[in-house]
Amino acid sequence: MLLLPAAALCCLCSVLVAMAAELIQDDLTLTRRVGEKVSFSCRGTQQCSSDAVFWVQKKDTETFRAILIIYRSSGHVYSGFNHPQKDDFSAVNKQDGCELVIQTVKLLHSASYYCSCWISDNIFGSGTKLYVTDEPVAKPVASVYPAAPGARLEGRSALLCLASAMFPPVVRFSWKRRKENGPLEEPPPAETEQLELRESGRAAAILLIHQPENSTFNYICYVQHEGGKAEAPPVPEAPAPAASRPPEREPTDLPAVQQADLSVSVSVSFQSQCRVKLLLLLYSVLIVKSLVYCCGLSLLMILRNKGPSTNCTHAD
């Protein structure tokens, strides 16, 4: 039986704890008008090995800046970090975590906010970005397409999930699968890979699926957003041939029609870019694997030929 040294076992335990522990910030974004109140939630602080929970701010053009500390046992708040708006922030403990509160939102509060604590290492939440604007929140429109129709590379297939027309432009993609009429389940990480692409006002996730051609799983894409979760409709079996030719329209409708056609063409263009990038990624992986295989085979041949030559020299 193989026994690990005490130091190695301790390090292994610390790594496993750090991997299992996380601070949870459910809100990707929060949108508020000037003068409104906002609060950022952080769950999972009961896992923290220290009593202190930090809140930090990150603006796009700045580094992380500490705002305050809230102590889990007493609820005491320390804000001596000389943050320029330290008087605008407060914090409260909740049953399963804590909250950072801004009573009166200002434009200069636009930033991302993270909670943090010590759990065998410094652990951060995923962050919540605050948008201070009068623009209303718009739920995304989600669509899913075959990323490379009819193509299977080394037993892989791919799906493209597109989210568009949303505000704020921050989304989180997730996938579930169902076998025929069975229950929904999480895809095993070993059978899928995800690549995300982002553009102004749009985002896409490409799911690479490692499964046999006769698999009966159907994959469903979900898009998490401040406006609510959007579910992409099923992949159409075949495009409708008649949909490519628009019906005759009256001349008075031309401006609206041209605007709609432009919107559709931009969306199709982004989908095409995503598909091209996916194919480039897949072919790059195949080329790298081929090069590694060839180099390894060449090295083995060199070593194999060198062995008999060396032996013959010693014999002479």
Side-chain angles (χ1 to χ4, degrees), residues 180-200:
E180 295 179 350
N181 295 324
L184 286 173
E185 62 180 37
E186 299 286 343
E191 296 183 12
T192 57
E193 300 174 49
Q194 180 169 293
L195 171 69
E196 293 190 8
L197 306 171
R198 299 188 183 274
E199 191 179 86
S200 177

Side-chain angles (χ1 to χ4, degrees), residues 157-301:
S157 58
L159 293 175
L160 169 66
C161 185
L162 175 65
S164 60
M166 66 275 190
F167 183 83
V170 181
V171 296
R172 181 180 295 156
F173 293 96
S174 62
W175 297 84
K176 289 191 177 181
R177 69 181 188 179
R178 175 186 284 126
K179 193 170 187 178
E180 295 179 350
N181 295 324
L184 286 173
E185 62 180 37
E186 299 286 343
E191 296 183 12
T192 57
E193 300 174 49
Q194 180 169 293
L195 171 69
E196 293 190 8
L197 306 171
R198 299 188 183 274
E199 191 179 86
S200 177
R202 297 179 183 84
I206 299 171
L207 184 71
L208 300 179
I209 306 169
H210 308 270
Q211 63 180 17
E213 294 186 14
N214 58 356
S215 174
T216 57
F217 281 110
N218 293 321
Y219 286 80
I220 302 172
C221 175
Y222 296 93
V223 181
Q224 182 184 345
H225 185 261
E226 182 181 345
K229 180 178 284 189
E231 178 180 342
V235 181
E237 294 183 1
S244 59
R245 176 175 294 179
E248 296 296 330
R249 303 179 178 95
E250 295 296 329
T252 54
D253 294 336
L254 283 178
V257 170
Q258 291 172 353
Q259 183 176 0
D261 289 345
L262 178 61
S263 176
V264 171
S265 64
V266 171
S267 178
V268 171
S269 174
F270 181 62
Q271 296 167 23
S272 301
Q273 291 177 21
C274 292
R275 294 182 183 186
V276 169
K277 290 179 180 179
L278 170 64
L279 291 174
L280 289 175
L281 173 66
L282 293 179
Y283 283 117
S284 299
V285 170
L286 293 177
I287 291 171
V288 171
K289 289 174 66 176
S290 299
L291 289 175
V292 171
Y293 175 78
C294 292
C295 292
L297 186 60
S298 301
L299 180 61
L300 288 175
M301 294 296 294

